Amino acid sequence: MGYFQVFLLLALIPGSTGLDNGLLRTPPMGWMAWERFRCDIDCRKDPTNCISEKLFRDMADRLSEDGWRELGYEYVMIDDCWMSMQRGSDGRLQPDPDRFPGGIANLARYIHDRGLKLGIYADMGSATCMGFPGTTLDKVELDAQTFASWGVDYLKFDGCHSNAIEQSIGYPLMSKALNWTGRPIAYSCSLPAYLGGLPPNVNYSYLGNICNLWRNYDDIEDSWASVKSILDWYSTNQDDLQPAAGPGHWNDPDMLIIGNFGLSLDQAQAQMALWAIMAAPLVMSNDLRTLSADARAILQNRVAIGINQDPRGIQGRRLLQELGHIEVYWRPLSHSANALVFLSLRQDMPYLYRNSLANLNFPAGSFEAYDVFSGKTLSGLTDHTIFTVSINPSGVVM
Ligand code: GLA
């Protein structure tokens, strides 16, 4: 059967697009290796940082012992470069034997024993982005079964080294193959990122039926410039992207880089605040073993997490871009609450920004405001009160 026939067949099977796994009613939270640890596979030279079972066990220890798990950070996620360069004689993917001597099932047990979940990475195509074995169409079902048999809870399915036709068949096929295993496995699709991220190339209502989340855009890197360009792309295209998100299906602007080398504390608060507004996955890629107390406080901010995890699951939007390089973001929440973020893209000094809730489309009434990062409460606001917030350069008030 050619690709075209397979595609037609998939399109004709009734209900063939329902993911329906009940997972990720709120955006996933956890830790992922890629942004911080990349494809460091030299465990002789760099035993503490190389992609190995030790790295994932270390992170599972930190997540379970340092208060992360209780806050919702539950997934420990392997990214690229975990595999052996060859499939096994049975055709199955296998981990690199030197770096994962205990195998993935053992690692999954270790992670599950700590009340956490395991994520893994594969690639729809002839090879992963870093050149490890890919999942060609004939291997989709086998790989899904292998992951399920190991006790995997989440799959990031990348799309390097495949063409648009293979992707259009492979992503829905993997969705079905994961369901067929009978194990609930959250499914992250990189497909939109390979199609330019926007309609008409990407059909988000269709994607919401086959994937729990999807990467739409570029990989994040360890810099404020990278955070800003991602934020700006999602906001510029929010009319297409924002309606696609909801319980069980999320846009993924990529990992939190808080605690690494590229962000100031203000910029780190900004990433946390804006990822909360965007209903983005809160998936950290940092070194939890050496994280500073400041970075931890930002990542463990209960109110910011609560906003991100709001059960209505409505993605927020950029409301305003002021000429003075101040932007205002808004997300409606449960219990008639709202989250607002005031972002300064200025480079001079803390900026005193004045506005009223009426001017931000709030209904008439009285309000109480809570400043997420200072912990201060402001009572007695009405929709017409002119309030002032002091926003640091490349910082936020939430
Ligand atoms: C792609 C993905 C990244 C990461 C790398 C691994 O670039 O977008 O998130 O998974 O591949 O090679």
Side-chain angles (χ1 to χ4, degrees):
M1 206 165 9
Y3 290 151
F4 185 64
Q5 281 106 319
V6 175
F7 182 68
L8 262 186
L9 192 66
L10 280 172
L12 291 174
I13 301 170
S16 70
T17 57
L19 178 60
D20 205 20
N21 61 10
L23 298 172
L24 303 191
R25 304 304 295 171
T26 60
M29 295 176 66
W31 182 92
M32 183 176 268
W34 181 256
E35 195 290 318
R36 176 63 181 77
F37 294 96
R38 305 287 166 144
C39 198
D40 177 354
I41 55 174
D42 192 341
C43 291
R44 245 166 17 96
K45 274 202 201 120
D46 198 7
T48 45
N49 299 308
C50 65
I51 301 302
S52 70
E53 60 185 31
K54 176 187 177 340
L55 181 69
F56 298 99
R57 280 207 304 256
D58 282 357
M59 296 307 159
D61 292 346
R62 299 281 52 81
L63 287 177
S64 63
E65 290 167 27
D66 296 346
W68 301 99
R69 182 190 54 212
E70 291 69 21
L71 290 165
Y73 290 97
E74 60 174 348
Y75 286 98
V76 180
M77 301 201 268
I78 303 173
D79 205 285
D80 204 346
C81 308
W82 62 271
M83 296 171 196
S84 158
M85 275 300 180
Q86 309 294 334
R87 286 178 176 263
S89 50
D90 53 1
R92 290 182 188 256
L93 291 172
Q94 49 188 1
D96 180 280
D98 298 325
R99 293 182 288 115
F100 293 84
I104 304 295
N106 260 317
L107 180 58
R109 211 164 302 127
Y110 188 92
I111 286 169
H112 292 155
D113 284 349
R114 280 152 189 77
L116 300 166
K117 294 178 174 160
L118 174 64
I120 208 162
Y121 169 100
D123 184 283
M124 169 65 241
S126 56
T128 74
C129 297
M130 295 307 295
F132 292 80
T135 303
T136 44
L137 291 174
D138 57 314
K139 293 289 193 299
V140 168
E141 215 185 314
L142 179 65
D143 290 355
Q145 276 165 12
T146 302
F147 298 146
S149 74
W150 287 340
V152 164
D153 305 293
Y154 180 117
L155 172 66
K156 170 174 174 176
F157 203 32
D158 211 340
C160 274
H161 307 295
S162 51
N163 63 36
I165 296 172
E166 289 162 333
Q167 291 167 356
S168 74
I169 300 165
Y171 278 94
L173 193 59
M174 180 58 89
S175 180
K176 294 183 70 66
L178 291 173
N179 272 353
W180 287 330
T181 68
R183 183 176 177 84
I185 299 178
Y187 182 36
S188 164
C189 299
S190 297
L191 176 61
Y194 289 88
L195 299 173
L198 296 173
N201 290 358
V202 181
N203 178 344
Y204 278 109
S205 44
Y206 167 69
L207 217 60
N209 287 327
I210 63 167
C211 310
N212 292 116
L213 67 158
W214 44 78
R215 286 283 308 284
N216 319 65
Y217 187 60
D218 292 352
D219 291 0
I220 198 159
E221 302 216 279
D222 195 2
S223 74
W224 176 237
S226 171
V227 171
K228 261 196 315 187
S229 85
I230 290 173
L231 175 69
D232 194 58
W233 185 85
Y234 279 82
S235 307
T236 302
N237 297 301
Q238 62 189 0
D239 289 348
D240 289 319
L241 302 173
Q242 187 265 344
H249 47 98
W250 309 101
N251 293 301
D252 179 5
D254 213 0
M255 294 160 249
L256 294 168
I257 57 166
I258 297 165
N260 294 331
F261 310 98
L263 300 186
S264 70
L265 282 183
D266 278 291
Q267 292 162 351
Q269 285 182 350
Q271 195 191 17
M272 188 71 185
L274 292 157
W275 263 233
I277 287 282
M278 288 193 288
L282 296 182
V283 175
M284 309 177 276
S285 189
N286 52 15
D287 192 342
L288 295 173
R289 300 166 299 193
T290 57
L291 202 67
S292 72
D294 286 336
R296 176 173 317 200
I298 294 168
L299 289 162
Q300 295 196 345
N301 184 299
R302 285 170 189 275
V303 181
I305 293 171
I307 290 167
N308 175 269
Q309 296 285 301
D310 184 80
R312 287 177 78 190
I314 300 174
Q315 183 174 329
R317 298 174 63 90
R318 179 162 67 190
L319 276 187
L320 279 179
Q321 284 180 286
E322 305 275 16
L323 288 176
H325 304 291
I326 303 296
E327 298 187 345
V328 182
Y329 291 80
W330 166 71
R331 177 174 173 186
L333 305 170
S334 314
H335 309 299
S336 311
N338 295 269
L340 281 172
V341 169
F342 303 94
L343 166 70
S344 171
L345 296 172
R346 299 176 66 91
Q347 309 191 36
D348 49 0
M349 60 184 278
Y351 185 81
L352 298 178
Y353 177 72
R354 289 155 58 81
N355 209 333
S356 71
L357 293 176
N359 199 38
L360 298 172
N361 308 332
F362 278 59
S366 58
F367 298 86
E368 182 162 298
Y370 177 78
D371 182 329
V372 171
F373 293 111
S374 76
K376 290 188 190 129
T377 302
L378 181 64
S379 309
L381 268 177
T382 75
D383 51 311
H384 284 292
T385 310
I386 304 291
F387 60 82
T388 304
V389 287
S390 174
I391 322 166
N392 291 345
S394 61
V396 290
V397 171
M398 183 177 214

